[in-house]
């Protein structure tokens, strides 16, 4: 049941960020709450592991934002933290790698078609959602 709720949130986030370039905090919080509930109900990872998962990717994204402002949005940082609570550090890093590869492929195709410039920005949330969904299915 929790996994289905997370998937629904991921689909809604991907749609909203793709359409409006905004990740709703309520949906991100919903994923985080479901990660906490999952630990309370099943307790398969442990709190330390979940917190490490929350910090793993979001910490890197936050550092990148501090070094190069605008490279990721705050919604991406918060989403990766919430997803880390659900996936743990290893799966969250895998989800991020999938997101980067998928976004890179998408950008390469758009550049080749002349529909994107080198200085353009794309919403990264849909790709984070894709990677997280794949990671969630592998749990």
């Amino acid at each position: 049941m929790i996994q289905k709720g997370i998937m629904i949130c991921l689909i809604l986030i991907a749609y909203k960020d793709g359409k409006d370039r905004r990740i709703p905090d309520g949906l991100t919080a919903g994923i985080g709450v479901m990660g906490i509930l999952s630990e309370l109900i099943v307790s398969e990872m442990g709190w330390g592991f979940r917190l490490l998962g929350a910090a793993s990717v979001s910490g890197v994204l936050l550092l990148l934002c501090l070094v190069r402002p605008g490279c990721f949005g705050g919604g991406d940082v918060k989403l990766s933290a919430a997803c880390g609570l659900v996936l743990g550090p290893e799966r969250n890093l895998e989800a991020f790698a999938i997101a980067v590869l998928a976004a890179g492929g998408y950008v390469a195709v758009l550049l080749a078609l002349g529909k994107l410039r080198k200085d353009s920005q794309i919403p990264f949330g849909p790709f984070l959602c894709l990677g997280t969904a794949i990671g969630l299915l592998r749990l």
Side-chain angles (χ1 to χ4, degrees):
M1 184 71 163
I2 290 176
Q3 190 175 26
K4 288 179 184 176
I6 294 168
M7 287 294 206
I8 289 168
C9 285
L10 291 172
I11 290 167
L12 293 172
I13 288 169
Y15 173 77
K16 187 74 172 158
D17 194 31
K19 183 176 176 253
D20 300 332
R21 299 181 57 107
R22 185 166 180 348
I23 297 175
D25 287 340
L27 292 172
T28 301
I31 291 172
V33 167
M34 286 184 260
I36 292 168
L37 286 175
S38 179
E39 184 60 34
L40 291 172
I41 294 168
V42 182
S43 188
E44 75 269 359
M45 281 190 217
W47 291 109
F49 203 65
R50 287 188 187 273
L51 292 174
L52 186 58
S56 61
V57 173
S58 62
V60 172
L61 293 183
L62 183 58
L63 284 174
L64 287 171
C65 287
L66 294 173
V67 172
R68 187 163 187 256
C71 64
F72 289 101
D76 298 324
V77 176
K78 291 181 276 188
L79 177 59
S80 65
C83 292
L85 280 174
V86 172
L87 298 175
E90 186 177 311
R91 291 270 194 245
N92 201 28
L93 289 168
E94 289 174 3
F96 182 67
I98 290 168
V100 168
L101 291 172
Y106 175 74
V107 167
V109 168
L110 290 181
L111 283 171
L113 294 173
K115 298 196 181 264
L116 199 65
R117 295 186 328 263
K118 289 182 181 181
D119 61 342
S120 297
Q121 293 183 343
I122 62 161
F124 192 61
F127 301 103
L128 282 173
C129 291
L130 172 66
T132 300
I134 291 169
L136 192 59
L137 292 172
R138 294 186 58 215
L139 281 178

